[in-house]
Amino acid sequence: MNQIILFNNLLSLTLPSSFESMNWEKIELMFPNEDRPQFIYEEIEANRFCTFSLLKDQKLSNFQVEQGIQSISNAIMSLYPTCLLEAPQLLEKEEKIFGYFTFKTHSKEGILRNIMYILSVEGCMMLGTMGCLLEDEDGVRQLMQIMNSLEIPERTPSYRRISNCS
């Protein structure tokens, strides 16, 4: 297991050592739009992946997570009505609320189970998707462990001396 720190120490998580950063060619194929996730990891042999995006322009408080995940799932359901596998849920962890739901998509490897999640980080939306093949129950458990490992590290305030110049 590897402890990963992202976004200048705003998010930490634990990834199995079998996960590695996705190569650029595959990223461009999987996410052709320039607005792609900021961090993408994959476990090549098992067809599993995790994405992490901090959307600084999308404000989100801890109290808005439930409404946010409902809105996102509704938007996806309106585009792909038969894709929902699991309705939006909330997960509370150390005074933080995570919202997530699962949906299926198709890829050249087969049907994927995607777990989309959001949480508030520094008042902004953290958005991510984790995925594996639909029938990969071990993958689902592993991805849920990764999601449960997400933490917002304590930030220690920095103090600096203010001098009075006369």
Side-chain angles (χ1 to χ4, degrees):
M1 299 298 258
N2 294 324
Q3 187 70 21
I4 307 290
I5 306 292
L6 303 174
F7 306 107
N8 294 321
N9 204 35
L10 292 178
L11 183 72
S12 72
L13 63 130
T14 304
L15 275 181
S17 55
S18 55
F19 275 77
E20 56 188 48
S21 292
M22 187 178 282
N23 73 47
W24 187 246
E25 293 79 29
K26 190 167 182 180
I27 289 172
E28 287 182 316
L29 287 172
M30 197 169 177
F31 302 97
N33 189 327
E34 287 186 23
D35 292 329
R36 57 185 59 95
Q38 294 148 324
F39 294 95
I40 306 168
Y41 294 92
E42 68 176 336
E43 187 176 47
I44 296 170
E45 298 299 317
N47 288 311
R48 297 174 187 159
F49 69 92
C50 303
T51 71
F52 306 90
S53 297
L54 182 58
L55 309 176
K56 292 185 178 180
D57 292 335
Q58 182 64 51
K59 302 304 177 196
L60 183 74
S61 73
N62 216 27
F63 302 109
Q64 295 172 311
V65 169
E66 183 173 13
Q67 178 185 351
I69 201 66
Q70 288 286 351
S71 295
I72 293 169
S73 69
N74 287 341
I76 289 178
M77 287 294 299
S78 69
L79 295 171
Y80 308 102
T82 62
C83 73
L84 189 67
L85 294 172
E86 203 174 344
Q89 299 181 47
L90 297 179
L91 170 69
E92 290 188 47
K93 184 178 174 194
E94 299 174 16
E95 299 178 15
K96 287 304 268 180
I97 299 173
F98 299 71
Y100 72 95
F101 67 100
T102 62
F103 62 101
K104 63 183 175 181
T105 57
H106 298 272
S107 74
K108 67 179 185 174
E109 290 84 14
I111 299 174
L112 295 178
R113 176 188 305 260
N114 300 280
I115 304 167
M116 183 170 277
Y117 66 90
I118 64 169
L119 66 141
S120 176
V121 175
E122 296 281 311
C124 299
M125 182 185 288
M126 173 67 61
L127 172 69
T129 303
M130 301 179 184
C132 63
L133 293 172
L134 186 63
E135 66 277 358
D136 183 3
E137 291 303 319
D138 289 336
V140 173
R141 282 189 289 279
Q142 183 183 56
L143 297 174
M144 290 303 292
Q145 287 174 340
I146 293 168
M147 190 173 72
N148 282 314
S149 78
L150 295 172
E151 291 185 2
I152 299 166
E154 285 291 320
R155 297 187 68 134
T156 55
S158 62
Y159 298 97
R160 66 174 194 217
R161 186 177 187 154
I162 299 174
S163 62
N164 290 331
C165 298
S166 326

